[in-house]
Amino acid sequence: NDDDSLSIAAIQAQLREIEEKKKSSLEALRLIVAQGAQLETNVRGKRSLCSLVHELRTEGDALTSRLLNSSDVVQQVVESVRKLDVAQANTRRALARTSDIVGLKSCVEEVNFALSSENWEGAASAIQKYLHVAPEDSQTDENSLQSLKKSLADLKRIASERCQAAVDSRDDAGVLRFCKLLAQLDMPGEATSRYAQYIGLIAQASGEAEL
């Protein structure tokens, strides 16, 4: 009977040990399943992240391409504007050149008329406006320019002679007018000299009158 009791106790102990091992195994299995589920979630997350990274890279490449295309368009616009500016500048110069040539041809008559009517200032303005114009190949333009140069020399001579005559005759208005004309004709030195001469004569006359 004692042996039977020991056998039953041993069997019960073994059964309890097996039960404990079963529980431990089940717990370990649950842990493994949980870790497997977490691992699967992580893998899925990484796959999703990879997809997002790929999508971002694709969008980035597309944006870079659009920016490069935009840069090309901007460069094309800038180049077109530059060419337009150059064309407009050339057009303006051509128009100004045409106007000068036409003016050069008509200026000779204008200067001759001004000189004949003793409009010295008008003649000086007309000559100085077109004297810088380079003539075209035609002989007519060259003759017009030479005519203006001769008229300028004549006008300088006239202005000098008339100014001296005004000084000698004590003509205040004449002195002032022809001194200004001399300055307009790029003869400021002579204009200053004649005016100083006139002031000196006036001062001398005033001093003699007081005596």
Side-chain angles (χ1 to χ4, degrees), residues 113-160:
F113 178 77
L115 290 175
S116 63
S117 60
E118 297 190 355
N119 181 9
W120 316 119
E121 293 81 6
S125 297
I127 291 172
Q128 291 174 333
K129 182 177 180 180
Y130 293 103
L131 193 63
H132 70 284
V133 177
E136 296 287 347
D137 295 334
S138 68
Q139 188 63 39
T140 302
D141 295 338
E142 180 64 32
N143 292 340
S144 297
L145 185 62
Q146 293 302 321
S147 177
L148 287 184
K149 290 181 178 180
K150 181 179 182 302
S151 295
L152 178 61
D154 292 341
L155 185 56
K156 286 183 176 181
R157 176 182 54 78
I158 292 171
S160 180

Side-chain angles (χ1 to χ4, degrees), residues 72-167:
D72 291 340
V73 171
V74 170
Q75 290 297 328
Q76 291 173 4
V77 171
V78 170
E79 182 64 18
S80 297
V81 171
R82 187 191 67 80
K83 290 180 179 179
L84 179 60
D85 288 341
V86 171
Q88 288 178 339
N90 291 337
T91 301
R92 286 193 294 268
R93 283 194 292 269
L95 290 174
R97 173 66 176 166
T98 301
S99 177
D100 287 343
I101 293 299
V102 172
L104 176 62
K105 294 177 179 179
S106 63
C107 180
V108 174
E109 295 181 3
E110 181 182 348
V111 169
N112 289 335
F113 178 77
L115 290 175
S116 63
S117 60
E118 297 190 355
N119 181 9
W120 316 119
E121 293 81 6
S125 297
I127 291 172
Q128 291 174 333
K129 182 177 180 180
Y130 293 103
L131 193 63
H132 70 284
V133 177
E136 296 287 347
D137 295 334
S138 68
Q139 188 63 39
T140 302
D141 295 338
E142 180 64 32
N143 292 340
S144 297
L145 185 62
Q146 293 302 321
S147 177
L148 287 184
K149 290 181 178 180
K150 181 179 182 302
S151 295
L152 178 61
D154 292 341
L155 185 56
K156 286 183 176 181
R157 176 182 54 78
I158 292 171
S160 180
E161 292 175 353
R162 292 295 182 95
C163 188
Q164 185 60 53
V167 170

Side-chain angles (χ1 to χ4, degrees), residues 1-16:
N1 291 334
D2 291 337
D3 291 337
D4 290 340
S5 298
L6 288 174
S7 296
I8 292 172
I11 290 172
Q12 290 177 343
Q14 289 177 355
L15 289 173
R16 285 194 297 270

